[in-house]
């Protein structure tokens, strides 16, 4: 399993943006912090699927923070 730090930030329009510092391709939006965090897991797994499809190694989870998302998708990481 891999655990990545998640950043949540409220936008100008009230929507909440979820991003992963270690995986810039993974982004999600929600109407509030709860929804953005829930959507973030799918964005993370989609980005990791793209890495796997391209044969790229998953980024090492280096960033740390109070909010994290863990995925078991890491067991499928390319060698």
């Amino acid at each position: 399993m891999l655990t990545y730090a998640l950043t949540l930030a409220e936008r100008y329009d009230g929507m909440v943006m979820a991003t992963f510092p270690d995986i810039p391709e993974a982004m999600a939006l929600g109407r509030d912090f709860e929804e953005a965090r829930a959507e973030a897991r799918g964005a993370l797994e989609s980005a990791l699927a793209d890495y796997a499809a391209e044969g790229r190694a998953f980024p090492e989870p280096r960033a740390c923070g109070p909010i994290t998302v863990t995925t078991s998708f890491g067991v499928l990481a390319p060698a």
Side-chain angles (χ1 to χ4, degrees), residues 48 51-58 73-79:
L48 292 177
Y51 275 80
E54 295 168 6
R56 297 190 295 157
F58 295 162
F73 195 91
V75 299
L76 304 175

Side-chain angles (χ1 to χ4, degrees), residues 2-78:
L2 296 171
T3 301
Y4 289 96
L6 175 66
T7 302
L8 298 172
E10 191 167 1
R11 297 185 343 164
Y12 67 92
D13 59 359
M15 297 290 284
V16 177
M17 173 72 86
T19 58
F20 294 88
D22 295 322
I23 304 183
E25 300 90 345
M27 294 180 277
L29 278 177
R31 289 176 289 215
D32 55 32
F33 286 91
E34 230 176 271
E35 184 177 304
R37 185 173 182 175
E39 294 293 326
R41 182 180 309 283
L44 173 62
E45 292 179 351
S46 177
L48 292 177
D50 289 344
Y51 275 80
E54 295 168 6
R56 297 190 295 157
F58 295 162
E60 287 292 321
R62 290 182 217 147
C64 59
I67 305 170
T68 60
V69 174
T70 300
T71 179
S72 60
F73 195 91
V75 299
L76 304 175

